[in-house]
Amino acid sequence: MLTATPERYRTRVLRALCVAGSLTVEGVARRSGIGVGIAHGELLAAESVGLVVDCAATGRWSSTAIGRILLRRLASAETVEGHRTRLASLRPRLAELDVEVANLTSRWFLREGEAGDRGAAMVINDHHDPIYDAAVLEDVARTHPERITAIYAAVVIVPRMERYAGRLADAWRRVRLGEHAALGDPEQDAYFDVWAEFLRDLDALAGWSGVRPHEVRRAG
């Protein structure tokens, strides 16, 4: 039986772990919008009632099955039926945008290698070709406003979603300043990951599946 009643910060911490997977304390704090000290305290409190676990070997925290069940209950209570209906209306456009992001992610991490007898195989993009990378970044720039608009369409229904718009905009700002790791490095609160977390969070709120972030195997 679930007896824990998370406070405001604890709910944020639990949500961060459920939508982003295993995280460092710093990663939890960044996604939750709270200080590192507060985040650590909330993680310890959540651990004491079985909602999260600390992997000492990696320095990362993860939600437990009980934690994920509790968050689903909290998400269900957060939205009324009318909200879920309005969120459902966003689903087709979000699915289209997610396909675009999946394509951009694939192009950023992979590219065609030298042609062989069976055609060109896909190889890991080593980012040594600035012309190739610039073409990908140009396409991200072209479609970035559409993703921000889509997030704000959700904000009208669930105001706390605005945090994703801020994080996505900040990641893109860092990319434009030359910090290309901010596009796809999961340790950098990266652009592609923020989008994926937004969709996972929305998926839990709306109670439907199908608009899922496309996963790309990353090397290194």
Side-chain angles (χ1 to χ4, degrees), residues 17 21-25 28 40 43-44 47 52-64:
L17 290 174
S22 63
L23 295 169
T24 63
V25 174
V28 171
H40 190 217
L43 285 167
L44 292 173
E47 182 184 35
V52 303
V53 292
D54 175 20
C55 180
T58 62
R60 290 175 173 271
W61 294 76
S62 301
S63 60
T64 64

PDB file of all heavy atoms in Angstrom, residues 17 21-25 28 40 43-44 47 52-64:
ATOM      1  N   LEU A  17      12.890  12.048 -12.496  1.00  0.00           N
ATOM      2  CA  LEU A  17      13.459  10.717 -12.664  1.00  0.00           C
ATOM      3  C   LEU A  17      12.605   9.846 -13.581  1.00  0.00           C
ATOM      4  O   LEU A  17      13.132   9.057 -14.367  1.00  0.00           O
ATOM      5  CB  LEU A  17      13.617  10.037 -11.302  1.00  0.00           C
ATOM      6  CG  LEU A  17      14.686  10.618 -10.384  1.00  0.00           C
ATOM      7  CD1 LEU A  17      14.635   9.955  -9.015  1.00  0.00           C
ATOM      8  CD2 LEU A  17      16.067  10.461 -10.994  1.00  0.00           C
ATOM      9  N   GLY A  21      14.809   9.204 -16.671  1.00  0.00           N
ATOM     10  CA  GLY A  21      15.593   8.022 -16.349  1.00  0.00           C
ATOM     11  C   GLY A  21      16.554   8.313 -15.210  1.00  0.00           C
ATOM     12  O   GLY A  21      16.323   9.197 -14.391  1.00  0.00           O
ATOM     13  N   SER A  22      17.652   7.581 -15.133  1.00  0.00           N
ATOM     14  CA  SER A  22      18.606   7.771 -14.046  1.00  0.00           C
ATOM     15  C   SER A  22      19.336   9.100 -14.215  1.00  0.00           C
ATOM     16  O   SER A  22      19.727   9.476 -15.315  1.00  0.00           O
ATOM     17  CB  SER A  22      19.608   6.618 -14.009  1.00  0.00           C
ATOM     18  OG  SER A  22      20.381   6.590 -15.190  1.00  0.00           O
ATOM     19  N   LEU A  23      19.506   9.801 -13.095  1.00  0.00           N
ATOM     20  CA  LEU A  23      20.109  11.131 -13.113  1.00  0.00           C
ATOM     21  C   LEU A  23      21.017  11.328 -11.915  1.00  0.00           C
ATOM     22  O   LEU A  23      20.825  10.708 -10.869  1.00  0.00           O
ATOM     23  CB  LEU A  23      19.021  12.212 -13.064  1.00  0.00           C
ATOM     24  CG  LEU A  23      18.054  12.336 -14.246  1.00  0.00           C
ATOM     25  CD1 LEU A  23      16.908  13.274 -13.867  1.00  0.00           C
ATOM     26  CD2 LEU A  23      18.785  12.857 -15.481  1.00  0.00           C
ATOM     27  N   THR A  24      21.987  12.212 -12.073  1.00  0.00           N
ATOM     28  CA  THR A  24      22.756  12.677 -10.932  1.00  0.00           C
ATOM     29  C   THR A  24      21.897  13.637 -10.127  1.00  0.00           C
ATOM     30  O   THR A  24      20.839  14.097 -10.594  1.00  0.00           O
ATOM     31  CB  THR A  24      24.028  13.398 -11.389  1.00  0.00           C
ATOM     32  OG1 THR A  24      23.641  14.561 -12.148  1.00  0.00           O
ATOM     33  CG2 THR A  24      24.906  12.496 -12.251  1.00  0.00           C
ATOM     34  N   VAL A  25      22.354  13.963  -8.927  1.00  0.00           N
ATOM     35  CA  VAL A  25      21.619  14.938  -8.117  1.00  0.00           C
ATOM     36  C   VAL A  25      21.519  16.265  -8.869  1.00  0.00           C
ATOM     37  O   VAL A  25      20.469  16.920  -8.872  1.00  0.00           O
ATOM     38  CB  VAL A  25      22.313  15.146  -6.759  1.00  0.00           C
ATOM     39  CG1 VAL A  25      21.624  16.264  -5.973  1.00  0.00           C
ATOM     40  CG2 VAL A  25      22.300  13.865  -5.948  1.00  0.00           C
ATOM     41  N   VAL A  28      18.856  16.083 -11.503  1.00  0.00           N
ATOM     42  CA  VAL A  28      17.519  16.166 -10.903  1.00  0.00           C
ATOM     43  C   VAL A  28      17.200  17.604 -10.550  1.00  0.00           C
ATOM     44  O   VAL A  28      16.098  18.106 -10.816  1.00  0.00           O
ATOM     45  CB  VAL A  28      17.437  15.267  -9.647  1.00  0.00           C
ATOM     46  CG1 VAL A  28      16.125  15.524  -8.898  1.00  0.00           C
ATOM     47  CG2 VAL A  28      17.534  13.797 -10.024  1.00  0.00           C
ATOM     48  N   HIS A  40      18.789  16.962  -3.224  1.00  0.00           N
ATOM     49  CA  HIS A  40      19.398  15.826  -2.537  1.00  0.00           C
ATOM     50  C   HIS A  40      18.580  15.424  -1.319  1.00  0.00           C
ATOM     51  O   HIS A  40      18.361  14.230  -1.058  1.00  0.00           O
ATOM     52  CB  HIS A  40      20.832  16.171  -2.119  1.00  0.00           C
ATOM     53  CG  HIS A  40      21.608  14.985  -1.634  1.00  0.00           C
ATOM     54  ND1 HIS A  40      22.513  15.054  -0.605  1.00  0.00           N
ATOM     55  CD2 HIS A  40      21.597  13.688  -2.054  1.00  0.00           C
ATOM     56  CE1 HIS A  40      23.037  13.853  -0.396  1.00  0.00           C
ATOM     57  NE2 HIS A  40      22.502  13.013  -1.267  1.00  0.00           N
ATOM     58  N   LEU A  43      15.513  13.602  -2.485  1.00  0.00           N
ATOM     59  CA  LEU A  43      15.860  12.253  -2.946  1.00  0.00           C
ATOM     60  C   LEU A  43      16.039  11.308  -1.759  1.00  0.00           C
ATOM     61  O   LEU A  43      15.559  10.168  -1.780  1.00  0.00           O
ATOM     62  CB  LEU A  43      17.135  12.297  -3.786  1.00  0.00           C
ATOM     63  CG  LEU A  43      16.982  12.848  -5.201  1.00  0.00           C
ATOM     64  CD1 LEU A  43      18.356  13.145  -5.806  1.00  0.00           C
ATOM     65  CD2 LEU A  43      16.206  11.880  -6.097  1.00  0.00           C
ATOM     66  N   LEU A  44      16.720  11.780  -0.725  1.00  0.00           N
ATOM     67  CA  LEU A  44      16.913  10.949   0.464  1.00  0.00           C
ATOM     68  C   LEU A  44      15.576  10.626   1.131  1.00  0.00           C
ATOM     69  O   LEU A  44      15.345   9.492   1.579  1.00  0.00           O
ATOM     70  CB  LEU A  44      17.845  11.656   1.446  1.00  0.00           C
ATOM     71  CG  LEU A  44      19.313  11.802   1.010  1.00  0.00           C
ATOM     72  CD1 LEU A  44      20.069  12.667   2.012  1.00  0.00           C
ATOM     73  CD2 LEU A  44      19.971  10.438   0.858  1.00  0.00           C
ATOM     74  N   GLU A  47      13.804   8.145  -1.010  1.00  0.00           N
ATOM     75  CA  GLU A  47      14.447   6.832  -0.886  1.00  0.00           C
ATOM     76  C   GLU A  47      13.983   6.122   0.375  1.00  0.00           C
ATOM     77  O   GLU A  47      13.810   4.888   0.388  1.00  0.00           O
ATOM     78  CB  GLU A  47      15.962   7.005  -0.873  1.00  0.00           C
ATOM     79  CG  GLU A  47      16.726   5.689  -0.806  1.00  0.00           C
ATOM     80  CD  GLU A  47      18.224   5.899  -0.697  1.00  0.00           C
ATOM     81  OE1 GLU A  47      18.646   6.878  -0.044  1.00  0.00           O
ATOM     82  OE2 GLU A  47      18.976   5.077  -1.255  1.00  0.00           O
ATOM     83  N   VAL A  52      12.543   5.960  -4.711  1.00  0.00           N
ATOM     84  CA  VAL A  52      13.720   6.088  -5.572  1.00  0.00           C
ATOM     85  C   VAL A  52      14.850   5.246  -4.989  1.00  0.00           C
ATOM     86  O   VAL A  52      14.811   4.854  -3.812  1.00  0.00           O
ATOM     87  CB  VAL A  52      14.195   7.555  -5.724  1.00  0.00           C
ATOM     88  CG1 VAL A  52      13.079   8.431  -6.268  1.00  0.00           C
ATOM     89  CG2 VAL A  52      14.713   8.089  -4.397  1.00  0.00           C
ATOM     90  N   VAL A  53      15.863   4.974  -5.809  1.00  0.00           N
ATOM     91  CA  VAL A  53      17.035   4.251  -5.341  1.00  0.00           C
ATOM     92  C   VAL A  53      18.285   4.996  -5.796  1.00  0.00           C
ATOM     93  O   VAL A  53      18.296   5.628  -6.852  1.00  0.00           O
ATOM     94  CB  VAL A  53      17.075   2.797  -5.871  1.00  0.00           C
ATOM     95  CG1 VAL A  53      15.962   1.972  -5.249  1.00  0.00           C
ATOM     96  CG2 VAL A  53      16.986   2.763  -7.381  1.00  0.00           C
ATOM     97  N   ASP A  54      19.319   4.879  -4.998  1.00  0.00           N
ATOM     98  CA  ASP A  54      20.604   5.507  -5.288  1.00  0.00           C
ATOM     99  C   ASP A  54      21.589   4.422  -5.691  1.00  0.00           C
ATOM    100  O   ASP A  54      21.808   3.469  -4.936  1.00  0.00           O
ATOM    101  CB  ASP A  54      21.105   6.243  -4.044  1.00  0.00           C
ATOM    102  CG  ASP A  54      22.508   6.819  -4.226  1.00  0.00           C
ATOM    103  OD1 ASP A  54      22.930   6.983  -5.388  1.00  0.00           O
ATOM    104  OD2 ASP A  54      23.155   7.098  -3.204  1.00  0.00           O
ATOM    105  N   CYS A  55      22.164   4.542  -6.882  1.00  0.00           N
ATOM    106  CA  CYS A  55      23.202   3.621  -7.323  1.00  0.00           C
ATOM    107  C   CYS A  55      24.549   4.255  -7.005  1.00  0.00           C
ATOM    108  O   CYS A  55      25.023   5.135  -7.729  1.00  0.00           O
ATOM    109  CB  CYS A  55      23.084   3.325  -8.813  1.00  0.00           C
ATOM    110  SG  CYS A  55      24.351   2.174  -9.402  1.00  0.00           S
ATOM    111  N   ALA A  56      25.157   3.823  -5.918  1.00  0.00           N
ATOM    112  CA  ALA A  56      26.394   4.432  -5.463  1.00  0.00           C
ATOM    113  C   ALA A  56      27.521   4.277  -6.477  1.00  0.00           C
ATOM    114  O   ALA A  56      28.396   5.139  -6.585  1.00  0.00           O
ATOM    115  CB  ALA A  56      26.812   3.816  -4.121  1.00  0.00           C
ATOM    116  N   ALA A  57      27.479   3.189  -7.250  1.00  0.00           N
ATOM    117  CA  ALA A  57      28.552   2.932  -8.209  1.00  0.00           C
ATOM    118  C   ALA A  57      28.586   3.961  -9.331  1.00  0.00           C
ATOM    119  O   ALA A  57      29.647   4.289  -9.872  1.00  0.00           O
ATOM    120  CB  ALA A  57      28.407   1.525  -8.787  1.00  0.00           C
ATOM    121  N   THR A  58      27.420   4.475  -9.699  1.00  0.00           N
ATOM    122  CA  THR A  58      27.347   5.431 -10.812  1.00  0.00           C
ATOM    123  C   THR A  58      27.063   6.851 -10.358  1.00  0.00           C
ATOM    124  O   THR A  58      27.192   7.788 -11.142  1.00  0.00           O
ATOM    125  CB  THR A  58      26.241   5.020 -11.801  1.00  0.00           C
ATOM    126  OG1 THR A  58      24.961   5.050 -11.133  1.00  0.00           O
ATOM    127  CG2 THR A  58      26.491   3.606 -12.342  1.00  0.00           C
ATOM    128  N   GLY A  59      26.652   7.020  -9.092  1.00  0.00           N
ATOM    129  CA  GLY A  59      26.310   8.351  -8.612  1.00  0.00           C
ATOM    130  C   GLY A  59      24.997   8.852  -9.169  1.00  0.00           C
ATOM    131  O   GLY A  59      24.745  10.068  -9.202  1.00  0.00           O
ATOM    132  N   ARG A  60      24.136   7.929  -9.593  1.00  0.00           N
ATOM    133  CA  ARG A  60      22.856   8.304 -10.194  1.00  0.00           C
ATOM    134  C   ARG A  60      21.686   7.751  -9.385  1.00  0.00           C
ATOM    135  O   ARG A  60      21.807   6.730  -8.713  1.00  0.00           O
ATOM    136  CB  ARG A  60      22.767   7.797 -11.637  1.00  0.00           C
ATOM    137  CG  ARG A  60      23.702   8.533 -12.591  1.00  0.00           C
ATOM    138  CD  ARG A  60      23.683   7.925 -13.983  1.00  0.00           C
ATOM    139  NE  ARG A  60      24.442   8.742 -14.906  1.00  0.00           N
ATOM    140  CZ  ARG A  60      23.953   9.755 -15.614  1.00  0.00           C
ATOM    141  NH1 ARG A  60      22.668  10.059 -15.502  1.00  0.00           N
ATOM    142  NH2 ARG A  60      24.714  10.460 -16.418  1.00  0.00           N
ATOM    143  N   TRP A  61      20.578   8.441  -9.525  1.00  0.00           N
ATOM    144  CA  TRP A  61      19.342   8.041  -8.857  1.00  0.00           C
ATOM    145  C   TRP A  61      18.328   7.599  -9.902  1.00  0.00           C
ATOM    146  O   TRP A  61      18.318   8.109 -11.022  1.00  0.00           O
ATOM    147  CB  TRP A  61      18.765   9.210  -8.061  1.00  0.00           C
ATOM    148  CG  TRP A  61      19.605   9.634  -6.903  1.00  0.00           C
ATOM    149  CD1 TRP A  61      20.756  10.368  -6.945  1.00  0.00           C
ATOM    150  CD2 TRP A  61      19.373   9.346  -5.526  1.00  0.00           C
ATOM    151  NE1 TRP A  61      21.256  10.565  -5.687  1.00  0.00           N
ATOM    152  CE2 TRP A  61      20.425   9.953  -4.785  1.00  0.00           C
ATOM    153  CE3 TRP A  61      18.381   8.656  -4.836  1.00  0.00           C
ATOM    154  CZ2 TRP A  61      20.506   9.881  -3.399  1.00  0.00           C
ATOM    155  CZ3 TRP A  61      18.456   8.583  -3.451  1.00  0.00           C
ATOM    156  CH2 TRP A  61      19.494   9.180  -2.742  1.00  0.00           C
ATOM    157  N   SER A  62      17.454   6.658  -9.512  1.00  0.00           N
ATOM    158  CA  SER A  62      16.402   6.175 -10.412  1.00  0.00           C
ATOM    159  C   SER A  62      15.112   6.006  -9.616  1.00  0.00           C
ATOM    160  O   SER A  62      15.141   5.783  -8.399  1.00  0.00           O
ATOM    161  CB  SER A  62      16.789   4.833 -11.043  1.00  0.00           C
ATOM    162  OG  SER A  62      17.984   4.933 -11.779  1.00  0.00           O
ATOM    163  N   SER A  63      13.997   6.090 -10.315  1.00  0.00           N
ATOM    164  CA  SER A  63      12.712   5.836  -9.668  1.00  0.00           C
ATOM    165  C   SER A  63      12.499   4.332  -9.554  1.00  0.00           C
ATOM    166  O   SER A  63      13.000   3.549 -10.365  1.00  0.00           O
ATOM    167  CB  SER A  63      11.578   6.465 -10.465  1.00  0.00           C
ATOM    168  OG  SER A  63      11.541   5.926 -11.778  1.00  0.00           O
ATOM    169  N   THR A  64      11.763   3.927  -8.558  1.00  0.00           N
ATOM    170  CA  THR A  64      11.400   2.519  -8.396  1.00  0.00           C
ATOM    171  C   THR A  64      10.037   2.275  -9.034  1.00  0.00           C
ATOM    172  O   THR A  64       9.351   3.215  -9.465  1.00  0.00           O
ATOM    173  CB  THR A  64      11.321   2.142  -6.912  1.00  0.00           C
ATOM    174  OG1 THR A  64      10.253   2.909  -6.309  1.00  0.00           O
ATOM    175  CG2 THR A  64      12.630   2.449  -6.201  1.00  0.00           C
TER     176      THR A  64
END
